[in-house]
């Protein structure tokens, strides 16, 4: 891990400062709104339950869902991240301000008013000083919450230490994950300690170095939230896995010399980002149904940077020996799913919002493969899938197929966050099979030498044969017959803009960006 940190020190510093900026930028907004609101409801207790209830509901909204809702309004980057963190920080600040003021001994406030003090003077000189420890506890809680939640800002291309965490998860790079997780945890501890120290500092001593740095550091870090200078003509949105895989953006840089300003964000949000014109180019998959739904065009990979990605299930050989009927049942799908069929199935799920179960059932019915399960279930297999629409559809097709043609019960463990996670679950026996792609198996898992890659020459049959043999030899895993479609990585643009700029291929995209 130390080697990784040394090699990525500049990037780690940048993301740490961005993380601090997100944390304290949102905290400052929450203080500006939360403190006055807490004081207001403390004086008007009839509305307190409603205000605290709304703040509590906001706190319970799943962070990913909240970020997804904010993208159409605020785009990608720091905007939706700051807003989401601001909303999460409101509850502890409002609640602790309210509780701190309402728990001040009424005898003291009545005595102050009896001495002729106004309501404002009572608030400033009696209630707020006495409530300060409780208010500070809320601020400390909000700060620690924001440090943790700020890692999710990487989902919407806002940067921060979450880029290392989610990139490491997608690529199964433990050093990368720890390089993000450990500094995030240390920041939470450091900020809580610093605020605890600030809490006991007298207000007349706020000019000392400790307090100065507590305010100066967030101010300096906020500069990292501003758009970077030197951005290229077009902005790309890449999934975390695509941004780090050898067959992703690094491969495009090597093959085409492509240098495009890009933001790493969750792959499920990329299409929303390009649909709402927040980015101009995205990474994706050639059979994705949203290509048709959002009027996108796939740029031609004219230099063949992406290998073939023939889809096929990988099964543990031990499982095939235990359940001999499983292999022939899986192979009933061999060659049945063409590129156009798979694209249509994805379109129906992504755009028409049909459930994967319905999409799978109707496909099997049209293909003459639908069977109604009969008899008792004897034995079970555990099936995995990655976290995107096509994998959910394939998993549902396999479930219905297996339960219709065999007495086996299928247990689904869907939604693995990356290739390596799914593969490790298979290799260790946590799952029995899952759908994979030959190009992914080749470059992400096997990672052969350059001479081996040159010998395969990107030929689908050669890649499938090599991957099948190596998986069997190294891992005792069996590749069943390919399904018939090729779900390759690709770059996409909105069709009208691509047509207007004359960009039909990745080479033309590179040339356009390089023009001054």
């Amino acid at each position: 891990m130390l080697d990784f940190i040394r090699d990525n020190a500049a990037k780690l510093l940048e993301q740490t400062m961005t993380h601090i900026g997100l944390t304290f930028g949102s905290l400052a907004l929450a203080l500006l709104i939360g403190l006055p609101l807490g004081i207001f409801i403390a004086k008007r207790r009839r509305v307190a339950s409603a205000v605290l209830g709304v703040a509590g509901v906001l706190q319970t909204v799943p962070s990913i869902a909240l970020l997804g809702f904010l993208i159409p309004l605020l785009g990608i980057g720091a905007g939706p991240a700051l807003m989401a963190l601001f909303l999460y920080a409101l509850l502890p600040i409002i609640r602790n301000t309210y509780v701190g003021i309402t728990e001040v001994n009424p005898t003291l406030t009545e005595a102050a008013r009896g001495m002729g003090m106004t309501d404002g003077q009572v608030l400033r000189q009696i209630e707020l000083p006495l409530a300060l420890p409780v208010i500070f506890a809320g601020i400390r809680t909000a700060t620690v919450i924001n440090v943790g939640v700020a890692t999710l800002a990487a989902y919407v291309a806002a940067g921060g230490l979450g880029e290392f965490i989610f990139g490491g998860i997608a690529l199964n790079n433990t050093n990368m994950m720890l390089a993000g997780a450990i500094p995030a945890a240390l920041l939470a501890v450091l900020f809580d300690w610093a605020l605890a120290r600030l809490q006991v500092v007298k207000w007349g001593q706020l000019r000392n170095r400790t307090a100065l740095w507590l305010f100066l550091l967030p101010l300096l870090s906020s500069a990292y939230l501003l758009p970077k200078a030197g951005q290229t003509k077009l902005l790309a949105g890449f999934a975390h896995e695509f941004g780090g895989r050898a067959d992703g953006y690094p491969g495009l840089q090597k093959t085409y010399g492509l240098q495009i300003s890009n933001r790493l964000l969750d792959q499920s949000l990329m299409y929303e980002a390009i649909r709402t014109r927040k980015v101009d180019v995205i990474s994706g998959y050639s059979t994705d149904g949203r290509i048709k739904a959002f009027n996108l065009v796939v740029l031609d990979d004219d230099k063949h940077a992406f290998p073939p990605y023939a889809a096929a299930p990988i099964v543990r050989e031990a499982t095939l020996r235990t359940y001999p009927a499983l292999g022939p049942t899986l192979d009933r799908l061999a060659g049945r799913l063409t590129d156009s069929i798979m694209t249509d199935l994805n379109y129906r799920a992504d755009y028409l919002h049909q459930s994967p179960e319905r999409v799978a059932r109707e496909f099997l019915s049209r293909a003459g493969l639908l069977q109604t399960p009969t008899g008792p279930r004897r034995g079970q297999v555990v099936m995995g899938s990655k976290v995107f629409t096509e994998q959910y559809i394939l998993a549902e097709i396999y479930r219905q197929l297996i339960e219709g043609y065999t007495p086996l019960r299928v247990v689904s463990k869907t939604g693995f966050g990356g290739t390596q996670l799914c593969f490790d679950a298979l290799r260790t026996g946590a799952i029995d099979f899952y759908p994979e792609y030959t190009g992914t198996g080749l470059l992400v898992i096997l990672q052969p030498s350059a001479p081996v890659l040159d010998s395969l020459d990107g030929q689908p049959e050669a890649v499938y044969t090599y991957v099948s043999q190596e998986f069997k030899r190294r891992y005792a895993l069996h590749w069943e017959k390919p399904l018939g479609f090729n779900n390759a990585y690709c770059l996409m643009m909105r069709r009208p803009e691509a047509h207007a700029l004359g960009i039909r291929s990745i080479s033309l995209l590179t040339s356009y960006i390089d023009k001054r």
Side-chain angles (χ1 to χ4, degrees), residues 52-63 66 84 86-88 90-91:
L52 292 173
V54 171
V57 169
L58 291 174
Q59 186 105 20
T60 63
V61 176
S63 52
L66 183 59
F86 155 73
L87 294 175
Y88 280 123
L90 273 180
L91 179 62

Side-chain angles (χ1 to χ4, degrees), residues 303-327:
K303 293 185 179 179
H304 307 293
F306 301 128
Y309 291 83
I314 315 178
V315 193
R316 289 170 54 84
E317 290 191 341
T319 303
L320 292 175
R321 289 192 298 268
T322 304
Y323 305 113
L326 179 61

Side-chain angles (χ1 to χ4, degrees), residues 46-272:
R46 287 179 297 178
V47 299
S49 59
V51 171
L52 292 173
V54 171
V57 169
L58 291 174
Q59 186 105 20
T60 63
V61 176
S63 52
I64 299 301
L66 183 59
L67 291 169
F69 292 146
L70 292 173
I71 281 184
L73 300 175
L74 301 174
I76 62 173
L82 285 171
M83 179 57 68
L85 291 169
F86 155 73
L87 294 175
Y88 280 123
L90 273 180
L91 179 62
I93 292 175
I94 295 174
R95 182 175 57 199
N96 281 46
T97 303
Y98 168 76
V99 171
I101 292 176
T102 56
E103 289 189 351
V104 172
N105 192 329
T107 304
L108 297 176
T109 57
E110 290 173 5
R113 289 188 178 90
M115 295 172 61
M117 296 178 68
T118 65
D119 288 342
Q121 289 174 325
V122 170
L123 176 66
R124 293 191 302 272
Q125 299 180 31
I126 304 296
E127 292 176 322
L128 282 180
L130 292 176
L132 197 58
V134 179
I135 295 174
F136 247 98
I139 295 172
R140 289 169 63 182
T141 300
T143 303
V144 173
I145 289 174
N146 275 17
V147 171
V149 178
T151 57
L152 299 176
Y155 273 115
V156 291
L161 294 168
E163 277 200 12
F164 285 97
I165 295 172
F166 296 118
I169 291 173
L171 301 170
N172 196 38
N173 187 327
T174 303
N175 291 330
M176 182 182 290
M177 283 188 284
L178 292 176
I182 292 176
L186 291 177
L187 285 179
V189 174
L190 174 63
F191 293 153
D192 186 63
W193 172 83
L195 288 171
R197 292 291 302 272
L198 182 62
Q199 183 175 342
V200 299
V201 173
K202 294 181 180 180
W203 292 110
Q205 300 174 347
L206 283 180
R207 292 185 179 181
N208 65 29
R209 295 181 180 180
T210 301
L212 179 63
W213 276 106
L214 282 172
F215 290 101
L216 185 60
L217 185 60
L219 181 64
L220 293 174
S221 65
S222 64
Y224 285 82
L225 303 181
L226 301 174
K228 306 276 190 308
Q231 181 171 300
T232 55
K233 299 177 183 179
L234 300 176
L235 178 64
F238 293 153
H240 290 89
E241 190 171 20
F242 182 86
R245 278 174 47 160
D247 55 338
Y249 183 50
L252 295 180
Q253 292 177 302
K254 180 179 179 180
T255 304
Y256 291 93
L258 177 64
Q259 298 292 336
I260 184 171
S261 298
N262 63 85
R263 303 289 184 268
L264 298 180
L265 67 163
D266 182 60
Q267 62 183 8
S268 62
L269 301 179
M270 288 189 304
Y271 292 91
E272 181 65 18

